[in-house]
Amino acid sequence: MTVRVRFAPSPTGYLHIGAARSALFNWLFARQTGGKFLLRVEDTDAQRSTDESLRSIIAGLEWLGISDYDEEVVFQSANAEKHRAAALRLVEADKAYRDFTPKAERADTNVKQEIADRARKGANEGADHRSNSFRDLSLEESNRRAGAGEPFAVRLKVAREGKSSFEDIVYGPQERDYSEIEDLVLLRSGDVSPLYNLSVVVDDIEMGITHVIRGQDHLTNTHKQILIYDALGAGVPRFAHLPLILAPNKAKLSKRKHGEVVSLTTYRDRGFVPAAFRNYLALLGWAPPDDQEIMSLEEMIRKFSLEGVHRSNAIFNFSELDARQWTDQKALWMNAEYIRTMPLAELLPMVRAELEAEGLWKAEYETDARPWLEKTIDLIRQRFMTLKDFSGQGRAYFSDEFEYDDAAVAKNLKKETRLKELLPGLAASIEAVEPFNAETSEGALRAFSESAGVKAGLLINASRTALTGQAVGPSMFEIFEIIGRERSARRLRAAAQLV
Ligand code: GLU
């Protein structure tokens, strides 16, 4: 059996990181098993579905590197006729029935079911539906009334006794008494449009889906969906539900409550390396048997297993009160690790895009200054958390217009008034060295500090702030070499004004 899995987003908003994680797990499973990874856009809610949302979901999947769908993208709305036909087949087969309850009474229960479906509670919202008087209407009578134009909904005839059960790959055996499941609505009355559970099942059958991998919030829907598979006489796929991703206070992560931090494209826009975020996402609810955290894509594909997915919900640790912790610390750490260790050739285009976006890219970086650029990036990347740092903290390497960090100025320039004279002096002595590089500038600085009778550390720290605006950074002598003789001297003199 060839594995066939799908990611089935509803284009009604941004791509939630939980949904992105579902997409990734589907993708990993397909790639590991040599199966097919499909995309189905669940755009049946015409009011809430938007092109913009669809574009951002597609862009998010592309960014993560998992947009190599193995077949044409399926749009669920295009299949509405098939969904309707399936429901009517079930009516013919006595597995479903038309419910002619007049509009006034029906309005209430339909709305209730719709809300419940949307909230994906799959809750038991009315065993009273089981006493629906239309359940036992003869097919003849039902056809006659429908033929006469009487509006109806279609409901699945759920057995009165017994229970539904399935083995979830992650959560194990699941059971639910039929008595807890109402005769669920398959087609809405009035426009006879298909409801969520019906559409999902008919499409999954049509697409030959073998494994349904999705968020744990769909666990309770699954019982209803299995009833539909059974009624349609179709084989039931395997199910693997994934733990939720929760806020530190265990609340469900939502954009309304938690803002941009839950939206995948935020990570792209805030300077994440796609492979780093993908690696981080993979570890939300799963860990490889050897617990190795940083994995190449190949390793991830090889080690991934649905059996290794955890049941406990993952906590996304971030603080809305602290800008440095705007997202999970582990995500930031992972990103920094990637920036620090990935092949320079892969990092370069990303840095270039960032510098271009900030107006810091120069044509010569492609030609004469290429070696300088590579050296600089390799040097400064060691401490950076995101790609944004190349244009932020790293701005002084690429432009003479940079800002001095206030704390750095206070600590390294303002504390020692003698720096007012020392910095121009240091400027003069490094200007004189020949050739100008890390070693010779170190020699010049040390000789100068000795003759001035101050500690070299004082001048090193002051120089770092003078040349880069920052209090921390790479080795100071490397910085001299990278910034160059003239720019270094100029910045040392300029910094004397800040003392
Ligand atoms: N469209 C559903 C959602 O976005 C996915 C349903 C499924 O994966 O079965 O939650």
Side-chain angles (χ1 to χ4, degrees), residues 6 8-10 40 42 120 196 200 204 212-214 218:
R6 84 306 192 268
S10 306
R40 180 172 73 229
E42 304 211 316
R120 314 258 154 58
Y196 169 70
V200 167
D204 280 342
V212 172
I213 305 168
R214 61 185 172 194
H218 285 287

Side-chain angles (χ1 to χ4, degrees), residues 21-46:
R21 196 261 325 250
S22 295
L24 176 61
F25 283 16
N26 274 286
W27 186 89
L28 286 170
F29 186 62
R31 292 297 168 258
Q32 177 182 71
T33 54
K36 304 276 185 223
F37 172 67
L38 313 178
L39 177 66
R40 180 172 73 229
V41 180
E42 304 211 316
D43 57 347
T44 49
D45 186 338

Side-chain angles (χ1 to χ4, degrees), residues 33-209:
T33 54
K36 304 276 185 223
F37 172 67
L38 313 178
L39 177 66
R40 180 172 73 229
V41 180
E42 304 211 316
D43 57 347
T44 49
D45 186 338
Q47 251 110 60
R48 293 169 65 234
S49 299
T50 66
D51 285 348
E52 194 201 339
S53 161
L54 178 58
R55 273 195 300 274
S56 100
I57 291 170
I58 300 269
L61 296 173
E62 263 168 27
W63 184 72
L64 280 177
I66 56 172
S67 59
D68 51 346
Y69 323 117
D70 293 304
E71 289 172 14
E72 283 292 292
V73 176
V74 172
F75 288 86
Q76 188 160 65
S77 61
N79 295 343
E81 219 27 78
K82 280 186 197 152
H83 305 158
R84 223 182 328 269
L88 294 174
R89 262 199 327 274
L90 293 181
V91 172
E92 292 295 324
D94 198 28
K95 303 213 157 132
Y97 59 95
R98 292 192 187 87
D99 177 355
F100 294 98
T101 307
K103 210 170 185 143
E105 287 167 49
R106 191 171 43 218
D108 185 39
T109 51
N110 268 356
V111 165
K112 268 199 332 219
Q113 171 154 6
E114 186 69 65
I115 291 169
D117 273 343
R118 278 204 191 143
R120 314 258 154 58
K121 280 209 234 80
N124 164 30
E125 77 259 29
D128 55 328
H129 294 164
R130 311 301 287 289
S131 54
N132 191 305
S133 60
F134 296 100
R135 189 176 152 109
D136 299 317
L137 199 67
S138 75
L139 183 58
E140 259 174 9
E141 178 65 2
S142 169
N143 284 343
R144 191 192 59 72
R145 288 174 73 161
E150 205 178 315
F152 61 86
V154 169
R155 287 183 186 277
L156 189 70
K157 221 178 231 188
V158 179
R160 292 186 195 272
E161 271 158 36
K163 56 187 164 205
S164 126
S165 63
F166 69 95
E167 175 88 17
D168 189 84
I169 299 175
V170 175
Y171 287 89
Q174 304 292 314
E175 250 186 30
R176 196 142 168 226
D177 260 27
Y178 287 153
S179 63
E180 287 173 34
I181 306 175
E182 85 280 350
D183 283 352
L184 52 138
V185 177
L186 302 177
L187 300 181
R188 275 184 204 86
S189 68
D191 64 355
V192 286
S193 56
L195 266 95
Y196 169 70
N197 282 313
L198 174 69
S199 300
V200 167
V201 170
V202 174
D203 284 351
D204 280 342
I205 295 171
E206 173 99 3
M207 293 166 74
I209 298 304

Side-chain angles (χ1 to χ4, degrees), residues 131 157 161 177 209 222 253 295 368 396 399 499:
S131 54
K157 221 178 231 188
E161 271 158 36
D177 260 27
I209 298 304
T222 305
L253 265 189
M295 281 170 280
D368 300 356
S399 168
V499 175

Side-chain angles (χ1 to χ4, degrees), residues 412-431:
N412 292 336
L413 296 176
K414 285 198 190 300
K415 267 207 191 131
E416 174 56 78
T417 50
R418 287 174 63 201
L419 284 169
K420 220 175 181 52
E421 286 79 46
L422 289 170
L423 288 173
L426 177 61
S429 68
I430 68 154
E431 254 169 345

